[in-house]
Amino acid sequence: MAKKEPKHHLHIELTQQQYQLLCRQAKQSGLTKRAYLARLIEGQPVKARPSQEIKELRTEIHHIGNNINQIARSVNAGIAKPEDAKRGLYLLDRVYELMYQVAKK
């Protein structure tokens, strides 16, 4: 059984502006204020939670990936035509382009 570490309570005073900034940054990261501050103290990276646009882009990339897999299965089974394989390559190019756009942000 893991040994419980003693906890320390800390009282700090922040200006209204500092507190609002803390609240906003913690919310953007999807963490509680306590977890956000603990990560900063520990030197761990704190990233903003993905925006709705990024979530929708991930979903679109997932759908494209499913289409590519279906085309690949039919090509491997000898069912698909050469045009289908070309379409799969086009979709794969789209995935790479979308991933590049996400990485630039």
Side-chain angles (χ1 to χ4, degrees):
M1 191 181 266
K3 182 180 173 185
K4 277 191 166 184
E5 290 188 35
K7 303 237 180 192
H8 298 277
H9 295 272
L10 180 65
H11 175 82
I12 62 171
E13 290 185 14
L14 301 173
T15 65
Q16 184 66 24
Q17 184 180 4
Q18 290 170 331
Y19 182 73
Q20 288 174 350
L21 184 60
L22 171 62
C23 290
R24 185 172 60 250
Q25 290 175 346
K27 185 176 181 178
Q28 286 174 346
S29 68
L31 299 170
T32 64
K33 291 182 285 289
R34 193 211 72 76
Y36 178 79
L37 289 172
R39 284 201 182 177
L40 290 177
I41 291 167
E42 294 168 355
Q44 295 179 4
V46 179
K47 298 179 182 177
R49 196 172 22 185
S51 67
Q52 185 61 32
E53 179 186 28
I54 298 296
K55 290 178 184 177
E56 290 171 4
L57 194 52
R58 283 183 185 162
T59 300
E60 184 65 25
I61 289 172
H62 177 73
H63 291 161
I64 291 171
N66 283 342
N67 289 341
I68 291 169
N69 286 337
Q70 290 171 357
I71 291 169
R73 279 193 291 277
S74 63
V75 167
N76 289 336
I79 299 169
K81 303 172 189 159
E83 299 84 39
D84 296 327
K86 287 180 185 176
R87 171 105 174 111
L89 290 174
Y90 167 76
L91 291 173
L92 187 57
D93 284 341
R94 282 276 295 137
V95 168
Y96 285 129
E97 177 60 31
L98 292 171
M99 290 172 59
Y100 175 75
Q101 289 174 11
V102 169
K104 285 190 335 186
K105 293 185 178 188

